[in-house]
Amino acid sequence: MGQSAAPFDHRPGGSGGAERRGGALAVSIFADRGYLRAEMAEDAAAAGLRVAQTGSLDVVLGCGDNGPEAGVIASAELVLVDCPMAEAAQLAALARLDRDAARTGAALVVSTSMGSLDDVFGCLDQSDAQILVSPSRAERMIALGQVMARSGSRVRELSEEDRLSLLRLTDQVTQIAQKLEALSSGQNVLSPDASAFRFDGTASNDLGDEQIDRSGERALDRGADRSGDRLVRPPRPPMPDPRLVRRIIRHRQARARFLPPDLFADPAWDMLLDLTAAREEHTRVSVTSLCIASGVPPTTALRWIGQMTEAGLLQRLEDETDRRRAFITLTEKAADAIARYFVEIATPAASAALVV
């Protein structure tokens, strides 16, 4: 690791004081690559943040549990970290920053590489860190904008397009959560004028070549059975056959060979399908694998994973044999909704898809 670190005053009222200056959030930046530290500091300043400290990751490693490093985290409301290599020393520094950020309430934004994503994700389990994969400067600015929006700070130098992108993402995930909640309650969320899981008005038929049966209002217990005046929640139907789900996934992926893939971008549904198949195949899905399944850039996929986790659709599952690793799985609420969805759309054509 590099050795350079910018001077930093840990004294009360110094440059590392916990209070804001002019309402600006204080940010600490840790990266071993000097040019990247400078770039991250420039982006933070452009966003209206106050850069309190820059240094390499060994600044964190060189401090004891009660040493100056605790003061760095305590004085920063945002910590930016670059960790492209998942070596033992870097991961130890990340784990310490994750722990201290969780303790102090500081926001943690970590950039890494695709090859190190699983290891980095595995050691960030306390602070609800944002993870970026080989981010562009625009992607880093979006991450800063998210932190500042949550803190109530004014977001500067964040384009209108980026702001709208953040709003659309949150709105889409909210709609997904609401529709899955309706499905898990047995309600019919399909209509003759809407394709299955069409949340944003642009998604195509999510079954690929399979056709959705829209002849009549077929009742899937039609929400619930009535026992007197009391609604009784129907039992969960079986999960779909994973061979059917994998075939749907292949059909969806095949579209990109003939048409621009951006026309069909639907990362939430693609990830839900992948996790549904994996659940029935009794396999675990790493965050890297799920990012690939999403069909969108890794940083975008991670943003979706974070939003869907907050919405109660996905959950983190620790590896019992290796605490440094973690996986992503469906919540019971999401699994219940997916099971009911596949029963709702069951047709002879879908059944025929099971034939190899």
Side-chain angles (χ1 to χ4, degrees), residues 2 13 16 33 37 40 53 56 60 76 107 145 165 170 178 182 201 205 251 274 276 300 324-325 335:
R33 294 177 286 184
R37 284 199 303 272
M40 293 164 73
Q53 181 189 25
S56 56
V60 178
S165 175
T170 302
Q178 291 172 343
N205 182 349
H251 286 177
D274 189 69
T276 298
T300 302
R324 296 171 299 178
R325 301 186 63 190

Side-chain angles (χ1 to χ4, degrees), residues 73 76-78 100-108:
I73 301 302
E77 293 147 300
L78 169 61
D100 292 332
R103 186 176 65 229
T104 64
L108 181 61

Side-chain angles (χ1 to χ4, degrees), residues 94-95 98-99 102 120-129 316 318 323-324 326:
L94 276 185
D98 179 59
R99 180 197 64 203
V120 168
F121 179 79
C123 71
L124 298 175
D125 61 350
Q126 298 186 49
S127 67
D128 193 26
R316 180 190 181 105
E318 302 294 340
R323 299 297 296 177
R324 296 171 299 178

Side-chain angles (χ1 to χ4, degrees), residues 145-175:
Q146 287 182 302
V147 172
M148 297 175 73
R150 285 198 295 266
S151 72
S153 298
R154 179 172 175 266
V155 182
R156 287 195 286 168
E157 303 299 330
L158 190 62
S159 71
E160 184 65 19
E161 181 180 354
D162 289 340
R163 279 193 289 269
L164 290 175
S165 175
L166 291 176
L167 290 173
R168 281 196 299 268
L169 172 60
T170 302
D171 182 62
Q172 286 173 342
V173 172
T174 300
Q175 291 183 53

